[in-house]
């Protein structure tokens, strides 16, 4: 079927059409999407036409770039895929980069590297840059530079009225604030400009231990104590991963329960700073070194192949190491389902105020849990684990509510949620974009 407006011929794919299933394919394999219509956008004009079509047909609209996060709002509605919108323009003098909606962080890192600049990207190069930034953007240099959202200069967005708008802090402070923290609830961002930082190299990598030799709870205790000694220029995380016994894995990981501490530091004293970590116990692997920023994805070495997963998160005012240790025991290799635990050290520049809706800046740690299985099965593991941390939990992090976007509780504090709801009423009163996060106007 072809829908035609004044500016573009728009091909709409429906279930059963050739290419429909391929267009839905993405990184997340754990959930099945069934939008009534899929629009493979090539330009902002395509997005405008898609939104106008959805409004005319009274259908909800969702957007998907890479598939790391899935827009439940598109179920039975219109899904706009943006992977073909992959333009990148670096301005080395202004230290900025313009990225279209389908660009992945690995592309931005490669484009900025020749100029000695780096984006505030996350750990996985395959993640969509725009969607990551709209959810805040907790990157590998976050404690030094803050959230990616804090560095956005302007955004181009198609709002519910089918208009393409350029939004800056001066042109529309309210919509700018809402887009950066709850963006997909207010429109489809087709492009944005974001600041780059002058980083060519960093000290980074990980030090790992065998979780059956070194007590993971004691390693976490040592890590939490160490975080109290580090400067804002050092960003780190703790991870506990029970690896399956598969031939495709490196021998030192195969069948092991691996506890790791990942580090990214732009200072010159990296080896000195991480010395206490190397004393936690017998080291299984140590990749800490000075590296070009282009190799920063090796710090976490996130899987780059599509797979099924379900996860959630908790932003904590403090980390109670006794309760967190119990969480590790419940989610270790003897858990009923494979669980991956990550604890991110927050603070530093992440605690600075900014004109956006990214919440819980007072948090000191972020705990993330991933598991597999059906939603109900996964929640049976995750909910009791997060309940252990309830007394110190401020809320949840939007970018790390993997497959849990249907649960809006805790994604924002009361005042932020109230303000977002008021702006939703102003910009999308018909609730066309139904990724509501608890701020629906309807």
């Amino acid at each position: 079927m072809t829908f035609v407006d004044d500016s573009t011929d728009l091909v709409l794919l429906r279930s059963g059409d050739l290419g429909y299933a391929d267009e839905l394919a993405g990184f997340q394999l754990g959930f099945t999407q069934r939008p009534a219509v899929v629009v493979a956008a090539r330009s902002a004009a395509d997005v405008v036409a898609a939104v106008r079509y959805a409004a005319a047909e009274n259908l909800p609209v969702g957007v998907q770039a890479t598939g790391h996060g899935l827009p439940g709002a598109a179920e039975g509605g219109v899904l706009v895929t943006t992977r073909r919108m992959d333009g990148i323009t670096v301005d080395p003098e202004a230290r900025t980069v313009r990225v279209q909606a389908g660009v992945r962080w690995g592309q931005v890192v490669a484009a900025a590297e020749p100029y000695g600049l780096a984006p505030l990207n996350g750990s996985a190069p395959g993640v969509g840059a725009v969607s990551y930034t709209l959810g805040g953007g907790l990157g590998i240099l976050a404690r030094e530079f803050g959230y990616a959202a804090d560095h956005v200069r302007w955004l181009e967005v198609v709002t519910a009225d089918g208009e393409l708008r350029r939004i800056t802090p001066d042109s529309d402070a309210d919509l700018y604030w809402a887009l950066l923290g709850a963006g997909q609830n207010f429109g489809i961002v087709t492009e944005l400009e974001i600041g780059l930082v002058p980083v060519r190299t960093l000290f980074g990598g990980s030090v790992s231990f065998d979780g059956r030799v070194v007590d993971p709870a004691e390693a976490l205790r040592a890590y939490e104590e160490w975080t109290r000694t580090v400067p804002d220029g050092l960003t780190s995380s703790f991870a506990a991963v029970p690896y399956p016994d598969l031939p495709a894995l490196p021998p030192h990981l195969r069948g092991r329960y691996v506890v790791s501490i990942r580090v990214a530091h732009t200072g010159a004293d990296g080896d000195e700073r991480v010395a206490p970590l190397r004393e936690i116990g017998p080291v299984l692997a140590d990749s800490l070194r000075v590296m070009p920023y282009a190799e920063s994805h090796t710090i976490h070495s996130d899987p780059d192949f599509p797979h099924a997963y379900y996860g959630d998160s908790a932003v904590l005012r403090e980390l109670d190491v006794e309760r967190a240790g119990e969480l590790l025991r419940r989610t270790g290799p003897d858990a009923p389902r494979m669980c991956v635990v990550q604890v991110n050290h927050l603070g530093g520049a992440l605690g600075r105020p900014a004109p956006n809706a990214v919440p819980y800046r007072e948090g000191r740690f972020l705990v993330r849990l991933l598991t597999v299985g059906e939603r109900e099965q996964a929640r049976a593991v995750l909910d009791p684990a997060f309940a252990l941390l309830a007394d110190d939990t401020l809320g949840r992090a939007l970018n790390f509510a993997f497959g849990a976007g249907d649960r809006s509780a805790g994604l924002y504090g009361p005042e932020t949620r109230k303000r977002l709801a008021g702006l939703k009423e102003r910009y999308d009163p018909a609730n066309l974009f139904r990724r509501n996060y608890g701020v629906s106007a309807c």
Side-chain angles (χ1 to χ4, degrees):
M1 173 184 178
T2 302
F3 169 75
V4 182
D5 74 358
D6 294 336
S7 58
T8 182
D9 290 344
L10 196 65
V11 177
L12 311 181
L13 299 171
R14 299 183 182 276
S15 180
D17 289 348
L18 183 64
Y20 174 89
D22 290 341
E23 198 62 31
L24 290 176
F27 189 82
Q28 167 64 276
L29 301 181
F31 304 91
T32 301
Q33 298 186 92
R34 287 291 180 266
V37 174
V38 182
V39 177
R42 301 153 297 176
S43 65
D46 284 352
V47 177
V48 167
V51 170
R52 290 177 179 175
Y53 170 80
E57 298 294 323
N58 194 30
L59 294 173
V61 182
V63 60
Q64 177 177 313
T66 67
H68 280 250
L70 298 182
E75 192 72 17
V78 176
L79 176 67
V80 181
T81 61
T82 63
R83 65 177 68 105
R84 295 167 183 79
M85 299 173 62
D86 59 357
I88 304 174
T89 305
V90 175
D91 184 336
E93 297 299 321
R95 292 181 179 174
T96 60
V97 60
R98 294 172 55 180
V99 294
Q100 290 186 317
V103 170
R104 301 171 186 243
W105 273 127
Q107 297 170 271
V108 186
V109 171
E113 190 271 338
Y115 306 103
L117 300 171
L120 296 177
N121 56 289
S123 59
V127 168
V130 168
S131 53
Y132 160 99
T133 302
L134 298 182
L138 179 66
I140 58 176
L141 299 178
R143 280 178 40 83
E144 182 171 3
F145 297 107
Y147 289 99
D150 301 345
H151 297 262
V152 173
R153 309 296 178 85
W154 53 258
L155 312 93
E156 288 189 348
V157 58
V158 180
T159 46
D161 56 4
E163 296 297 320
L164 178 65
R165 306 171 187 274
R166 176 170 290 204
I167 304 299
T168 72
D170 297 324
S171 70
D172 191 330
D174 284 338
L175 187 53
Y176 176 89
W177 176 87
L179 287 169
L180 295 169
Q184 292 180 359
N185 201 44
F186 290 87
I188 298 180
V189 173
T190 59
E191 187 172 359
L192 59 75
E193 182 176 87
I194 190 169
L196 300 170
V197 295
V199 174
R200 284 187 179 274
T201 63
L202 55 75
F203 178 86
S206 67
V207 56
S208 302
F209 311 93
D210 187 329
R212 291 185 174 87
V213 175
V214 174
D215 182 354
E218 289 305 312
L220 180 60
R221 182 186 298 276
Y223 170 70
E224 192 278 337
E225 292 174 355
W226 174 76
T227 62
R228 298 179 182 274
T229 71
V230 301
D232 289 354
L234 193 154
T235 305
S236 66
S237 63
F238 172 99
V241 183
Y243 285 94
D245 188 4
L246 296 176
L249 291 172
H252 74 280
L253 298 179
R254 194 178 303 160
R256 291 184 184 269
Y257 181 37
V258 179
V259 174
S260 302
I261 298 169
R262 294 86 166 257
V263 173
H265 181 43
T266 59
D269 57 347
D271 272 313
E272 177 184 346
R273 290 289 180 187
V274 302
L277 302 179
R278 289 168 165 152
E279 300 301 319
I280 289 175
V283 173
L284 180 64
D286 186 339
S287 64
L288 291 163
R289 67 197 189 280
V290 176
M291 64 174 69
Y293 193 82
E295 295 179 8
S296 61
H297 64 280
T298 65
I299 295 173
H300 290 73
S301 294
D302 292 328
D304 59 359
F305 52 87
H307 58 284
Y309 53 96
Y310 187 95
D312 215 333
S313 59
V315 182
L316 308 179
R317 57 176 60 87
E318 288 292 342
L319 182 69
D320 184 317
V321 292
E322 295 296 334
R323 294 181 180 180
E326 177 61 23
L327 181 149
L328 287 172
R329 284 185 280 275
R330 294 190 187 185
T331 58
D334 296 328
R337 296 189 174 278
M338 177 184 175
C339 294
V340 175
V341 179
Q342 181 163 311
V343 181
N344 289 78
H345 182 208
L346 305 179
L350 294 167
R352 299 171 190 165
N356 56 53
V358 180
Y360 308 126
R361 290 176 178 268
E362 69 272 34
R364 187 161 179 262
F365 287 95
L366 169 70
V367 174
R368 300 156 55 182
L369 296 180
L370 289 178
T371 188
V372 295
E374 298 295 329
R375 180 177 277 127
E376 292 75 15
Q377 296 169 331
R379 293 238 65 94
V381 174
L382 299 181
D383 287 349
F386 281 115
L388 292 168
L389 310 175
D391 288 348
D392 291 313
T393 297
L394 296 166
R396 300 161 61 222
L398 178 61
N399 273 355
F400 304 111
F402 299 113
D406 58 316
R407 300 176 64 249
S408 62
L411 290 175
Y412 303 99
E415 291 304 312
T416 298
R417 188 171 63 250
K418 181 179 178 181
R419 183 178 175 186
L420 287 170
L423 294 174
K424 180 71 171 177
E425 182 68 43
R426 185 197 309 178
Y427 290 102
D428 185 16
N431 201 16
L432 192 67
F433 304 104
R434 296 180 190 170
R435 191 80 179 267
N436 292 315
Y437 319 137
V439 298
S440 174
C442 299

